[in-house]
Amino acid sequence: MSIEAAAPTRPMRADARRNYEAIVRVAGDAFAEHGTQASLDDIACRAGVGPGTLYRHFPNRDCLLEAALVESRLALNELAEQLLADDDAGAALDTWLLALARHANTWDGLPDSIVQSINNKQSPLGASCSTLVDATGRLFDRAREQSAVTADVSARDLFVMAGSLAWAASRPRRDTGARAEASDDLPRLLGLLMRGLR
Amino acid sequence: MSIEAAAPTRPMRADARRNYEAIVRVAGDAFAEHGTQASLDDIACRAGVGPGTLYRHFPNRDCLLEAALVESRLALNELAEQLLADDDAGAALDTWLLALARHANTWDGLPDSIVQSINNKQSPLGASCSTLVDATGRLFDRAREQSAVTADVSARDLFVMAGSLAWAASRPRRDTGARAEASDDLPRLLGLLMRGLR
DNA sequence: CGACAATACGGAGATAGTCTCCGCTTTGTC
DNA sequence: GACAAAGCGGAGACTATCTCCGTATTGTCG
């Protein structure tokens, strides 16, 4: 949107890259342990950097979430490619929605961040989700062509519903000290959703 | 679980009751304005009491949410009674799930609190939700008897799904300054769910 | 009425999280 | 090896939660 559209963006300085990577690595552990609300200052501390450094690399929580999810996202995009080549488009859609929901459940609280960012072009999380929404749409269209589904839904609605079921399935108890044993409600709930699509 | 099960619980002192009511009234406004994450100290301040007073009456956020929702809950229970007498059990279920979802959307963030508390007997919110889950189950059973629905779902799953769709519908955008105009996605999403039940 | 116990109040402050500012350090380059 | 650019980090401002305990209010009896 300006004259110098293509900023040269010289490569990161060695120390900067080192810190960036350390933060992302530690963040993954912290989010896994405490959910997406893990303390950012604590992540900085555990990564051996000051809070200022963390916030310079990742101005907000979404940026850090996004960075820590990159690998999982790549795998998901690859899965989409494979599923688009699958003969059984209905089963492919099934598989895809489950994978999507499981991805959203990577960490406690992630569905919330994802669904909140979905409409927000500013958020890096939202931006990278739009790829997933597109894939969802393409897989759904193929399933419709094969008459595996008949419902009329937008790709965005489908994506959001998968996310919301992930959210519902990941909210087993609060306050009770007992560690939530992973009762896997997801397939059951998604089955109901798929039933509605046919 | 002890010998003196029926504690006499003498009536509240006049000043205590006055403060209790002021807090609940202000809390309703604050939750409406800022969602369920509204500052509790701020609510105390606006109600003209100290934080200590608020936390004595309502040891945690759920207690305050529950107290501020009492009237809406009563109306909902009354609706359940009416719907159970409705001849068209399918339509009654439809109406009920929508009412349930709208109730969960009374304030921003409420679906989260509700679904988190659903498995938690300790939470006053969870306790009062179990009534709603029961009503959901009874309405669903009637619809099944009339063959208006055929799916096999637990009342809890139905309740949680209604809550999760409410959650999904209430999360339109984040960060974008623009006030989210209330695009009403709820009926569309619930329609999909109902389709899956038939 | 007046006084005393039980009850309740409220605000100071401990704790914890977010995020910024800016003086200092490290890096890459010539 | 020296200089500018890039990057660091931690002190601290701000906001929120929740507790503790000295003080004030209430209801009840004599």
Side-chain angles (χ1 to χ4, degrees):
Chain A
M1 57 180 75
S2 85
I3 300 180
E4 53 241 322
T9 61
R10 55 165 63 186
M12 257 183 185
R13 233 172 66 171
D15 53 349
R17 169 172 304 279
R18 206 163 44 233
N19 286 331
Y20 181 100
E21 284 167 2
I23 291 168
V24 170
R25 186 156 21 84
V26 168
D29 295 347
F31 290 143
E33 193 173 352
H34 300 114
T36 55
Q37 291 313 306
S39 161
L40 297 185
D41 274 25
D42 182 57
I43 289 173
C45 181
R46 284 210 257 167
V49 305
T53 300
L54 185 146
Y55 284 95
R56 192 165 347 91
H57 285 301
F58 309 98
N60 57 56
R61 192 176 291 271
D62 275 10
C63 291
L64 184 50
L65 286 172
E66 171 55 26
L69 279 176
V70 164
E71 288 178 24
S72 174
R73 278 283 160 70
L74 292 176
L76 212 46
N77 285 328
E78 200 166 320
L79 176 65
E81 291 300 319
Q82 288 172 25
L83 290 175
L84 276 166
D86 194 326
D87 288 336
D88 185 345
L93 182 58
D94 249 344
T95 306
W96 173 249
L97 291 179
L98 185 58
L100 215 48
R102 292 223 189 282
H103 175 256
N105 268 349
T106 303
W107 303 311
D108 189 45
L110 187 57
D112 205 307
S113 301
I114 287 177
V115 174
Q116 280 196 40
S117 69
I118 189 72
N119 278 328
N120 183 357
K121 288 278 183 186
Q122 314 304 322
S123 163
L125 206 52
S128 82
C129 277
S130 63
T131 311
L132 300 179
V133 175
D134 287 351
T136 306
R138 269 179 289 147
L139 283 160
F140 181 71
D141 288 345
R142 274 189 77 236
R144 254 171 76 104
E145 281 163 22
Q146 292 188 9
S147 303
V149 297
T150 65
D152 191 21
V153 205
S154 71
R156 189 189 155 281
D157 276 359
L158 252 190
F159 183 86
V160 167
M161 284 185 85
S164 86
L165 294 186
W167 173 83
S170 71
R171 220 116 294 261
R173 67 208 68 227
R174 178 166 67 173
D175 293 332
T176 41
R179 197 91 201 110
E181 1 84 52
S183 68
D184 199 354
D185 294 340
L186 210 39
R188 197 170 68 253
L189 298 181
L190 274 171
L192 213 56
L193 170 57
M194 280 303 290
R195 213 184 127 126
L197 300 178
R198 279 185 241 289
Chain B
M1 58 177 72
S2 83
I3 299 180
E4 53 241 321
T9 60
R10 55 166 63 186
M12 256 183 185
R13 231 172 68 172
D15 54 347
R17 169 173 304 279
R18 206 164 42 234
N19 285 331
Y20 181 99
E21 283 166 4
I23 291 168
V24 170
R25 185 158 20 83
V26 168
D29 295 347
F31 291 142
E33 193 173 351
H34 299 115
T36 55
Q37 291 312 306
S39 160
L40 297 185
D41 274 24
D42 182 57
I43 289 173
C45 180
R46 283 210 259 166
V49 304
T53 299
L54 185 145
Y55 283 97
R56 194 167 344 92
H57 285 301
F58 309 98
N60 56 56
R61 192 176 292 269
D62 274 11
C63 291
L64 185 51
L65 287 172
E66 171 54 26
L69 278 176
V70 164
E71 287 177 25
S72 174
R73 279 284 160 69
L74 291 176
L76 211 47
N77 286 328
E78 203 167 316
L79 176 65
E81 291 300 319
Q82 288 172 25
L83 290 175
L84 276 166
D86 193 327
D87 287 337
D88 185 344
L93 182 59
D94 250 343
T95 306
W96 174 250
L97 291 179
L98 185 58
L100 215 48
R102 291 226 190 279
H103 175 256
N105 268 349
T106 304
W107 303 312
D108 189 45
L110 187 57
D112 206 305
S113 302
I114 288 177
V115 174
Q116 279 194 40
S117 69
I118 189 71
N119 279 326
N120 183 359
K121 288 276 181 185
Q122 314 303 321
S123 164
L125 207 52
S128 81
C129 277
S130 63
T131 311
L132 300 179
V133 174
D134 286 351
T136 306
R138 269 179 290 148
L139 284 159
F140 181 72
D141 288 345
R142 273 188 79 236
R144 253 169 76 104
E145 281 163 22
Q146 292 188 9
S147 303
V149 297
T150 65
D152 189 22
V153 205
S154 71
R156 190 190 155 281
D157 276 359
L158 252 189
F159 183 86
V160 167
M161 284 185 85
S164 86
L165 293 186
W167 173 83
S170 71
R171 219 102 316 250
R173 66 208 68 225
R174 179 166 65 174
D175 293 331
T176 39
R179 198 92 201 109
E181 1 84 50
S183 67
D184 200 354
D185 295 339
L186 211 38
R188 196 170 68 252
L189 298 181
L190 274 172
L192 212 56
L193 170 58
M194 281 302 291
R195 212 184 128 127
L197 299 178
R198 280 183 239 289

